[in-house]
Amino acid sequence: MASGILHNICKARNLPLSDDDDDDDDDYDENDDADRFRRFVKALDPSYVLPNRKTISNTLVPQLYNKIKEELMVKVSNAAAVCLTTDCWTSRTTTSFMAVTCHFIDEDFTLSSSLLDCFSFTDRHTAENLAVELKKVCEEWKITNKVVACVSDNASNIKAAIRKAEWRHLPCFAHTLNLIVRESLKHIQETVTKVKNVVEYVNRSTVATERLKATQKQMGLEELRLKQDVITRWNSTYYMLKRFWLQKEAIIATLALVNPNLPTLTLDEWDIIKDVCEILQPFEEVTVEMSAERYVTASKVILMSRGLQKVVQRLRGAVTNHGPVMAMIDSLAEDMQRRFHQIEHFRLYSEATLLDPRFKQKAFHDAAVADEAAKSITAAAARAWSSTEEQTQAERTAPSSSEQVSSIWKDFDERVSDAVCISNPTSTAMAAMRGYLAETLIPRTEDPLAWWKSRQTIYEGLTAVMKRRLCIVATSVPSERVFSKTGQIISERRNRLSPNKM
């Protein structure tokens, strides 16, 4: 029972280990999670005594951690190849943390994701120091020689650190989109600032908040609070503008009644908000889809990049001709062209795309790039097949004490021995690649890993290469999610937690 309770504390609600060991009903606070949890356990079994803070912190948590870590180390050690993501974060207590996550295709052909470490980082964030910590984590998990790529944001220090670790660096696709969109939003900054001022006023004023609720109810609208954006996340600006547009009538009526001393939005600015929401919606959809860690994403980078470029071009004639909106579209188009014009030439992306049975050559604009990716994959498959064949041949020719060679077959075995043993890994790999490319594309909504699982004995060499490419994730969001959770743990009430208790 203690183990189940501990899982609840650590995972389900981030409950504190203890606020007060006194269970006196007179001190019960119905708004306190810890008090409600103690009452719940007592109702289940009045005779059960909850472990105290010291037991949980010094005994149960370390035991659970070590158990899970041992199980995970076995799982990671069986991976043929891994992709890492990493990111750094500073808490409200100004403690710096670094997270490293690992992604791989397991024996059941499922994309698995695991947090390898999240630790306080007290040294300067130089490339040398970051590289040392990354290598230390990989050495502990015995995956140094299995890393096929490391995904991070575009900061120069972490990019240099990954190069020093002698791994291939891939830029976080979500971070790249964030830079592109944030730059474009500068062209509508005046309108965004007006919206932010209104949102801040309404959310800060009790009178305005209540008046907005009453207006929404009167108009038959859902009672929703206005959203405030965060400067570092473009999609928070999109959410703010979208909510603002959906509540347009209620907001206009509310501001007319409370009469705040704020600049009013013109009709043209309301049109701009509507157009911007339409422009940013595809970017939001792509960001959400590419930030997943439970299904293949690297093979979609080329398609998503080209898709966003085409969408922006189509929007030129679909939105109003307001100057700021057109300038925003031009900025998006130019920045994407600058950043994505060579996207098909990223070898890891092109090989991952070609090895995805949903896309293959159809994802490429340049057929020559697809051909180069096929040649590279074929060469890697030949090496993998050769290595496997050598091991198989050694097992095949090893004498068996239980096997008695029949004299009837002896002459035949001697005459065909050369024909059976001689094989060309390159020609075998080329034939496999031709067969793979000739197969019909599977629907875009199907799981490519399930397809490879059903074909692993047919395309053995290609399967080995596939595991080194489709394990790559497109973003460093998995590491950022670690810090989102950590930020919920280090609250104002728990700001004295030491890093080793996180």
Side-chain angles (χ1 to χ4, degrees):
M1 188 170 179
S3 176
I5 291 172
L6 188 57
H7 272 88
N8 192 353
I9 293 173
C10 295
K11 184 177 180 181
R13 291 292 303 277
N14 293 323
L15 294 175
L17 300 183
S18 173
D19 281 347
D20 188 351
D21 290 334
D22 186 3
D23 287 340
D24 192 338
D25 287 345
D26 293 338
D27 296 330
Y28 174 65
D29 180 358
E30 65 178 8
N31 296 317
D32 188 282
D33 282 340
D35 277 342
R36 289 205 305 268
F37 181 67
R38 282 194 291 266
R39 298 267 293 194
F40 174 70
V41 173
K42 188 173 182 179
L44 289 177
D45 186 355
S47 65
Y48 181 77
V49 179
L50 278 167
N52 59 35
R53 181 191 187 102
K54 188 173 181 180
T55 300
I56 293 175
S57 181
N58 297 337
T59 304
L60 296 181
V61 169
Q63 287 176 355
L64 181 61
Y65 171 81
N66 291 330
K67 178 177 178 292
I68 293 175
K69 184 177 180 179
E70 287 174 6
E71 293 172 353
L72 186 56
M73 289 196 80
V74 172
K75 193 175 180 181
V76 172
S77 67
N78 292 329
V82 301
C83 171
L84 302 180
T85 78
T86 186
D87 197 13
C88 294
W89 171 75
T90 301
S91 71
R92 67 172 64 208
T93 60
T94 67
T95 302
S96 181
F97 290 89
M98 184 176 187
V100 182
T101 69
C102 170
H103 310 266
F104 56 93
I105 297 172
D106 63 22
E107 295 174 339
D108 196 38
F109 284 73
T110 300
L111 186 60
S112 296
S113 301
S114 304
L115 172 65
L116 299 185
D117 210 342
C118 181
F119 51 92
S120 61
F121 192 91
T122 56
D123 295 330
R124 293 177 59 238
H125 287 202
T126 63
E128 292 75 12
N129 292 338
L130 291 168
V132 167
E133 294 299 330
L134 285 172
K135 287 182 177 180
K136 189 184 298 182
V137 171
C138 289
E139 287 168 2
E140 179 185 359
W141 288 83
K142 299 180 176 61
I143 58 171
T144 304
N145 297 324
K146 295 183 177 183
V147 179
V148 295
C150 186
V151 184
S152 74
D153 61 24
N154 294 316
S156 58
N157 57 346
I158 190 62
K159 289 166 65 176
I162 293 169
R163 288 195 299 269
K164 286 181 178 293
E166 299 181 343
W167 300 326
R168 295 177 183 175
H169 173 261
L170 284 178
C172 171
F173 190 66
H175 186 258
T176 301
L177 289 184
N178 186 57
L179 295 175
I180 292 171
V181 177
R182 287 235 68 88
E183 183 64 26
S184 73
L185 287 171
K186 292 178 181 179
H187 296 283
I188 60 161
Q189 190 57 51
E190 184 177 347
T191 301
V192 171
T193 300
K194 284 187 177 182
V195 172
K196 288 180 65 172
N197 289 339
V198 172
V199 171
E200 289 175 0
Y201 169 78
V202 172
N203 288 341
R204 192 172 56 244
S205 168
T206 304
V207 174
T209 299
E210 292 303 317
R211 175 58 62 185
L212 178 62
K213 287 182 180 179
T215 304
Q216 289 170 332
K217 186 175 182 179
Q218 184 179 359
M219 292 182 172
L221 300 173
E222 188 177 358
E223 294 182 22
L224 299 172
R225 283 178 57 87
L226 300 184
K227 291 189 175 183
Q228 183 71 59
D229 73 341
V230 179
I231 188 64
T232 56
R233 291 288 182 266
W234 74 264
N235 49 0
S236 67
T237 303
Y238 166 68
Y239 296 142
M240 177 182 73
L241 295 176
K242 184 179 179 181
R243 175 66 57 83
F244 202 82
W245 169 252
L246 292 175
Q247 298 294 326
K248 174 184 175 180
E249 301 303 328
I251 292 170
I252 292 174
T254 299
L255 294 180
L257 291 170
V258 298
N259 195 26
N261 187 23
L262 293 172
T264 58
L265 281 86
T266 66
L267 292 176
D268 283 348
E269 286 175 322
W270 279 106
D271 287 340
I272 288 173
I273 294 171
K274 175 179 177 294
D275 289 341
V276 168
C277 289
E278 186 177 350
I279 293 168
L280 294 185
Q281 182 177 345
F283 287 86
E284 164 63 9
E285 292 173 358
V286 169
T287 299
V288 171
E289 181 164 353
M290 298 299 280
S291 298
E293 53 186 295
R294 294 297 180 188
Y295 52 82
V296 175
T297 54
S299 61
K300 298 178 181 178
V301 171
I302 293 174
L303 282 163
M304 292 297 181
S305 302
R306 299 302 188 210
L308 284 174
Q309 288 178 294
K310 289 182 178 179
V311 166
V312 169
Q313 290 299 328
R314 286 198 297 267
L315 283 171
R316 285 181 182 275
V319 297
T320 55
N321 290 322
H322 294 295
V325 175
M326 299 310 295
M328 179 181 178
I329 290 177
D330 290 340
S331 174
L332 289 170
E334 291 169 8
D335 212 355
M336 284 194 291
Q337 175 62 22
R338 179 173 62 85
R339 293 176 184 274
F340 296 152
H341 76 286
Q342 290 288 324
I343 195 71
E344 290 187 3
H345 294 271
F346 277 64
R347 205 179 89 185
L348 294 179
Y349 289 150
S350 63
E351 292 181 4
T353 303
L354 195 67
L355 286 169
D356 193 318
R358 298 171 297 178
F359 311 135
K360 299 183 186 178
Q361 308 104 311
K362 295 295 184 181
F364 295 86
H365 284 190
D366 189 341
V369 176
D371 291 341
E372 285 300 316
K375 291 177 182 177
S376 177
I377 293 169
T378 300
R383 291 191 295 271
W385 190 88
S386 179
S387 175
T388 303
E389 182 63 16
E390 288 175 5
Q391 182 179 352
T392 303
Q393 185 61 30
E395 294 172 354
R396 185 188 299 146
T397 58
S400 174
S401 57
S402 60
E403 182 180 359
Q404 182 177 358
V405 179
S406 171
S407 58
I408 298 173
W409 288 105
K410 183 177 181 180
D411 179 61
F412 175 80
D413 289 343
E414 289 176 351
R415 283 190 290 118
V416 302
S417 60
D418 290 341
V420 171
C421 296
I422 295 176
S423 59
N424 188 323
T426 301
S427 61
T428 301
M430 291 175 65
M433 176 57 77
R434 285 195 298 270
Y436 164 70
L437 294 177
E439 292 215 36
T440 305
L441 294 180
I442 64 175
R444 182 176 55 82
T445 54
E446 288 192 10
D447 181 8
L449 298 181
W451 185 93
W452 277 106
K453 183 178 181 180
S454 68
R455 301 295 201 284
Q456 59 180 313
T457 56
I458 302 173
Y459 305 120
E460 188 173 352
L462 292 180
T463 301
V465 182
M466 178 277 300
K467 288 185 175 182
R468 298 178 61 83
R469 292 297 175 262
L470 297 192
C471 70
I472 299 172
V473 292
T475 73
S476 59
V477 169
S479 289
E480 295 179 24
R481 287 194 178 111
V482 174
F483 297 135
S484 296
K485 198 70 171 177
T486 306
Q488 296 173 19
I489 296 172
I490 306 179
S491 63
E492 290 185 8
R493 294 182 62 189
R494 285 182 273 174
N495 58 19
R496 293 172 61 190
L497 279 172
S498 61
N500 66 336
K501 295 292 185 184
M502 292 300 301

